[in-house]
Amino acid sequence: MKYELNVAHLYGDLLNTYGDNGNLLALKYYAKLMDTDLDIQIVSLDEKFDPNAWDVVFFGGGQDYEQTIVSKDIQGKKDDLTDYIEDGGPMLAICGGYQLLGHYYVGADGEKIKGIGALDHYTLSQDDNRFIGDIVIKNKETGEVYHGFENHNGKTYLGKGERPLGEVESGNGNNGEDNSEGVVYKNVYGSYFHGPILTRNGELAKKILLTALKRKYPNADLSSQEQLTIKPTF
Ligand code: GLN
């Protein structure tokens, strides 16, 4: 392979529900088509997140209990993660991970679970309800349509500088109220999609990998990577 990217799997040993780890398999698959090797490592409790060591970050979803554990530890990584994000580092955060990038998440039992506030959203709890089911959204800017499956208690409300990953065409999305699903902030993509999102939406995998390659190899000719056609898998 011509290129190599270092992928941090944030708290991959704690937050890994609903096949979210499949996103890493999908990322590997598309990376191979782009002549790129991925070196994937878990960065978990008590380990430093070095913003200069990683080219892609994946942060999956989890149960409230695991989220409370991660919530405490991640405060020590807050500055480094914020630096990585502000510097344009690509990241995919699903469900619980997406919630913890924001200010807080109120869990199903009412406990306020602190996030890092690197992104300006916050997440409330529903009363005795979860949003569960198939979901389809459309990104207004790119026209891209994403398919997935959502399963979450949290209702997320976007804040400053945040755009939704898409408008809900069917399903519930961030909160079931404002028609938004997920988030785009700089090169961070957040979503409630399990499924996993990248196996069903290869365009997003391509986008994340291209961003990472352009950052790491600014002088490389990446035209063949850019031309890679993604076949719909839904
Ligand atoms: N525990 C969180 C919620 O229920 C996140 C769930 C998840 O990551 N699937 O909203």
Side-chain angles (χ1 to χ4, degrees):
M1 298 280 167
K2 203 164 169 185
Y3 305 106
E4 188 179 79
L5 295 173
N6 297 318
V7 181
H9 186 187
L10 266 189
Y11 302 100
D13 49 349
L14 289 163
L15 299 182
N16 48 26
T17 39
Y18 312 128
D20 285 346
N21 290 358
N23 285 308
L24 294 167
L25 299 178
L27 215 53
K28 266 199 156 165
Y29 170 81
Y30 287 109
K32 199 170 165 192
L33 299 179
M34 293 164 85
D35 210 3
T36 301
D37 257 334
L38 298 185
D39 182 3
I40 303 171
Q41 308 278 348
I42 288 178
V43 177
S44 191
L45 302 178
D46 300 321
E47 290 169 348
K48 186 180 161 58
F49 175 84
D50 176 354
N52 300 312
W54 305 104
D55 306 307
V56 177
V57 174
F58 173 62
F59 195 7
Q63 288 90 352
D64 292 6
Y65 177 69
E66 279 80 5
Q67 283 182 265
T68 58
I69 297 171
V70 170
S71 162
K72 292 190 187 96
D73 183 87
I74 201 172
Q75 303 308 324
K77 297 180 179 60
K78 171 182 165 147
D79 292 346
D80 286 331
L81 282 166
T82 306
D83 284 352
Y84 175 85
I85 291 169
E86 287 301 313
D87 194 49
M91 183 183 300
L92 175 66
I94 301 298
C95 208
Y98 166 36
Q99 293 169 348
L100 288 170
L101 291 182
H103 295 292
Y104 59 85
Y105 160 52
V106 179
D109 66 1
E111 186 186 357
K112 197 166 180 177
I113 303 168
K114 203 172 162 204
I116 56 170
L119 274 63
D120 197 33
H121 55 267
Y122 62 94
T123 303
L124 304 179
S125 177
Q126 304 183 57
D127 293 329
D128 273 333
N129 188 43
R130 293 182 73 80
F131 290 145
I132 304 173
D134 288 322
I135 172 163
V136 181
I137 62 170
K138 184 172 187 171
N139 185 296
K140 273 194 176 153
E141 290 159 43
T142 62
E144 282 166 1
V145 175
Y146 299 105
H147 293 245
F149 183 85
E150 60 181 333
N151 183 351
H152 53 113
N153 161 61
K155 290 191 294 183
T156 296
Y157 297 87
L158 299 182
K160 218 173 74 212
E162 297 188 297
R163 290 167 290 138
L165 180 63
E167 307 292 324
V168 176
E169 302 217 312
S170 64
N172 293 285
N174 279 336
N175 49 50
E177 294 160 23
D178 64 14
N179 228 35
S180 70
E181 202 294 317
V183 70
V184 182
Y185 173 78
K186 295 193 177 233
N187 291 320
V188 178
Y189 300 92
S191 175
Y192 274 113
F193 280 32
H194 299 284
I197 190 168
L198 296 184
T199 56
R200 298 177 77 183
N201 305 281
E203 285 295 346
L204 190 55
K206 178 181 166 183
K207 210 182 286 202
I208 289 167
L209 290 168
L210 261 183
T211 306
L213 286 170
K214 284 181 186 165
R215 266 181 104 227
K216 184 161 185 181
Y217 303 98
N219 301 318
D221 173 11
L222 296 168
S223 45
S224 69
Q225 280 75 6
E226 273 171 11
Q227 276 153 26
L228 177 73
T229 15
I230 306 288
K231 296 190 202 99
T233 47
F234 44 84

